[in-house]
Amino acid sequence: MKTIFKNFCLIILILIFSNGYSLERCNALNGVESSDMLVKKKKWTGSWDYSVQDVPVEYSSGVLHISKKKKVYTVKLELPGGDLPADNVKVDKNKLTFSVDIEGSMVDVALIMDGDSFKGESNTPDGTFMLEGNRRI
């Protein structure tokens, strides 16, 4: 019986890793939410529509443009009032973090990707605000 169980577990592991999936511990949003999940390896690059809750209307939605050249990621926020470049861009598997200067205040953003969508938070001097987005097709 132990041999059957070991073989079954081995087959499951082979199926998981052969399809481009990895089991990883996601510590989302600095400990706000912690869960084990299967995350399909996808690239962050592209354009993402996003919305932020409880912020002034000019910052409540926009497009996040993410590009990568020679292993270096860049992020640009496209807002109705103009584009804002991001600093300190870091990608670690399904987590993207960056900082952006909004009206003289640094805003730290942490996002967790789940397929073609993400959820996250932005930390500002005025508080923490939740945001979510979807990949543009």
Side-chain angles (χ1 to χ4, degrees), residues 7-69:
N7 288 339
F8 177 74
C9 290
L10 182 61
I11 290 170
I12 295 299
L13 286 173
I14 290 170
L15 289 174
I16 288 172
F17 290 111
S18 68
N19 287 326
Y21 287 86
S22 63
L23 183 63
E24 52 188 57
R25 179 85 174 148
C26 295
N27 185 5
L29 312 176
N30 297 326
V32 171
E33 174 183 302
S34 181
S35 64
D36 287 324
M37 65 176 74
L38 234 47
V39 177
K40 185 169 184 177
K41 292 181 179 177
K42 277 201 148 182
K43 304 220 182 278
W44 274 102
T45 57
S47 297
W48 303 74
D49 292 311
Y50 73 91
S51 61
V52 186
Q53 301 172 359
D54 304 321
V55 297
V57 68
E58 61 268 23
Y59 300 112
S60 64
S61 65
V63 181
L64 190 65
H65 298 284
I66 305 169
S67 58
K68 180 181 176 185
K69 273 189 182 172

Side-chain angles (χ1 to χ4, degrees), residues 73-124:
Y73 285 88
T74 57
V75 173
K76 178 178 71 172
L77 277 69
E78 180 184 328
L79 299 166
D83 295 346
L84 297 174
D87 297 316
N88 304 317
V89 179
K90 294 180 184 148
V91 173
D92 183 17
K93 296 180 183 159
N94 68 326
K95 185 174 184 177
L96 170 70
T97 58
F98 60 90
S99 300
V100 63
D101 184 334
I102 298 180
E103 296 182 8
S105 295
M106 288 309 288
V107 175
D108 295 320
V109 179
L111 307 174
I112 302 293
M113 181 196 301
D114 184 11
D116 286 331
S117 64
F118 66 77
K119 290 188 179 186
E121 65 182 23
S122 57
N123 292 303
T124 75

